[in-house]
Amino acid sequence: NTQNSESRGALIVLEGLDRCGKTSQSTRLVNYLNGIGHSVESWRFPDRNTGVGQMISSYLSNKSQLDDRAIHLLFSANRWEKRSLMEDELKRGTTLIVDRYSYSGVAFSSAKGLDIEWCKAPDIGLLAPDLVIYLDISPEEAAKRGGYGGERYEQREFQKKVALFYQKLQDPTWKIIDAKLEVEDVEKLIRDMVLDCILTCKKGKPILKLWA
Ligand code: FDM
């Protein structure tokens, strides 16, 4: 095994309001990185494939009702159940491009009126992202993009509140991109940030813990 123990992959998270373009940007990014020979995987939270994920999915599609705190903890558990696999992949040198993470967890639950510190607590100690790319779009602009789907939370007034809580979560690992730019321009900005981050991680930047 010639893999240098320091040559790890990067944990990169894409965040933003519904319809900011993060899912299509994440697909483009993964294709690009694959094409230039990087070891990369596309991830997303919630991961609806686990038992916990199925409970979350049923809640989001309004097929079940859950207490606000209970669903918050399920979203967090859904990240914890993937934590060690994520760490293994990073140590193996794989870069993970993750569509939503703890910031969604805290922003969406806080927007319902739960205390922000209470919301952060269960995610303390998860793997900290090396880079968070926030695709910045106003709730008004997002709503213009063909309307929202039928899932819970896909409503304009609620998205406005979510945007305010995202702002409170910004830290030095965040890079903010204007999501109203042309798709290709957003893509180019993301590529440059990501390549830079991958290099820093390769050079031995340690894996840190979130909000610790
Ligand atoms: N969401 C997502 C949360 O409320 N908490 C979380 O921890 C996460 C990861 O779930 F409305 C919300 C955000 C969104 C919904 O997300 C489902 P996708 O990206 O549409 O699957």
Side-chain angles (χ1 to χ4, degrees), residues 14 21-31 42-43 97-99 190:
L14 276 88
K22 78 189 143 25
T23 304
S24 63
Q25 286 295 344
S26 122
T27 307
R28 283 167 177 258
L29 176 61
V30 170
N31 289 341
S42 170
W43 283 57
I97 307 299
V98 187
D99 190 339
I190 292 179

Side-chain angles (χ1 to χ4, degrees), residues 8 11 37 46 51 105 117 132 141-142 151 162 166 172 184 195 203:
R8 69 163 178 100
L11 177 54
E117 295 307 323
V132 178
E141 201 65 41
E151 283 206 327
V162 173
Y166 265 130
E184 291 75 15
L195 290 173
K203 285 180 184 161

